[in-house]
Amino acid sequence: MASSATPAELVVENVVKEYLTPTEPLRVLAGVSFSLRRGENLAILGPSGSGKSTLLSILGTLEPPTSGRLTLSRENPFQLAEADLAEFRLENIGFVFQEHHLLPQCTVLENVLVPFLADGVATTDDQHRAAELLGRVGLAQRLRHRPAELSGGERQRVAIARALVREPTLILADEPTGNLDRSTAESVGRLLLELQAERNAILVVVTHSEPLAKLLSRRMELDSGRLVPTGPIGFPTA
Ligand code: ADP
């Protein structure tokens, strides 16, 4: 459990992101600041076009901010050379997307081993770890199955196992339950939170789903490029 004595692991300071357009620059993030300790989680809400994916890309070190600073475990990843940045991302950040992006020709186990192949080979230890994690997400009997043989919820459980197999400090999820029916979405959302807590990782979820956002301990909304506290969820805010 994070205490106030624990230093923040993810620190985002005054992040601005502008995209160049033929006329004037489009300012999507206008100074976003927040910090999270290990074990903490945050839901980011906001209407379409408010900059949620842009912020998630910056947190995921896929896009540099125009200005401002981000540190994860006291390292500023945007100061790293490109190859070091790719390694940093692989070791520290796990991504869960709305689409599972599993490789259809590979088995469930092979899909979870993919993050080890990016910078080497999967060792026997890695294979044990992947199989154990697949057991933890309820798929022990499905290791040799292909994604097409699984339900939508099961495929998303595989995607979660793949995101967590290298024990990332930071888990980023973009509408992770967006393609699932209500009850499956709830069980997948709860599983993601349980795994985050067990690993004492940080979880940031971007979502339109209020039931999912309600499961997280902090909720903020992107409004005119800034992160502001949301109104009480489930009640009219006006
Ligand atoms: P959300 O995820 O909340 O829907 P996005 O972060 O995708 O919002 O987009 C925020 C704004 O930035 C939108 O107006 C979008 O058109 C614009 N945008 C996103 N990516 C680019 C880009 N690469 N170049 C120019 N504009 C972009």
Side-chain angles (χ1 to χ4, degrees):
M1 193 34 106
S3 81
S4 56
T6 321
E9 198 79 1
L10 172 65
V11 181
V12 177
E13 290 171 289
N14 208 17
V15 160
V16 170
K17 182 70 183 181
E18 290 176 348
Y19 290 113
L20 294 179
T21 71
T23 51
E24 54 189 20
L26 175 67
R27 179 167 277 220
V28 177
L29 301 177
V32 167
S33 302
F34 66 92
S35 59
L36 293 169
R37 300 187 184 94
R38 286 199 78 119
E40 290 189 322
N41 59 56
L42 169 68
I44 297 177
L45 296 129
S48 191
S50 60
K52 301 183 300 299
S53 303
T54 299
L55 179 55
L56 213 62
S57 302
I58 294 172
L59 298 179
T61 74
L62 298 165
E63 280 258 14
T66 306
S67 64
R69 217 166 84 97
L70 176 154
T71 57
L72 180 61
S73 307
R74 287 161 296 285
E75 177 116 54
N76 179 345
F78 296 111
Q79 288 179 339
L80 297 172
E82 205 170 308
D84 295 333
L85 177 61
E87 187 64 30
F88 177 89
R89 191 181 302 128
L90 204 53
E91 283 178 5
N92 294 288
I93 307 175
F95 295 88
V96 182
F97 305 97
Q98 179 166 0
E99 292 290 330
H100 51 78
H101 295 302
L102 299 177
L103 300 172
Q105 70 278 26
C106 293
T107 64
V108 161
L109 181 62
E110 286 164 349
N111 267 287
V112 175
L113 289 170
V114 163
F116 292 113
L117 305 180
D119 64 347
V121 292
T123 63
T124 311
D125 266 4
D126 297 337
Q127 294 188 28
H128 284 147
R129 198 192 300 179
E132 199 176 86
L133 191 50
L134 281 163
R136 174 65 188 85
V137 302
L139 295 172
Q141 309 305 318
R142 316 300 288 273
L143 304 192
R144 311 277 162 212
H145 288 225
R146 314 251 166 213
E149 300 168 273
L150 304 181
S151 69
E154 287 165 343
R155 284 196 280 263
Q156 204 56 332
R157 286 166 185 262
V158 179
I160 290 172
R162 180 186 54 191
L164 296 183
V165 75
R166 291 186 68 141
E167 303 277 343
T169 309
L170 175 61
I171 306 163
L172 299 175
D174 192 354
E175 292 289 6
T177 61
N179 285 351
L180 306 175
D181 64 67
R182 202 186 163 107
S183 73
T184 308
E186 174 157 358
S187 68
V188 167
R190 287 190 188 282
L191 176 68
L192 188 57
L193 278 153
E194 283 168 19
L195 291 166
Q196 176 239 333
E198 284 167 19
R199 283 156 178 73
N200 202 28
I202 298 169
L203 172 67
V204 179
V205 179
V206 156
T207 187
H208 280 108
S209 161
E210 293 199 350
L212 175 62
K214 266 183 175 169
L215 296 178
L216 284 96
S217 48
R218 282 171 67 185
R219 285 170 290 277
M220 304 282 279
E221 190 171 354
L222 270 172
D223 182 8
S224 307
R226 291 180 194 279
L227 214 45
V228 297
T230 51
I233 286 187
F235 297 94
T237 50

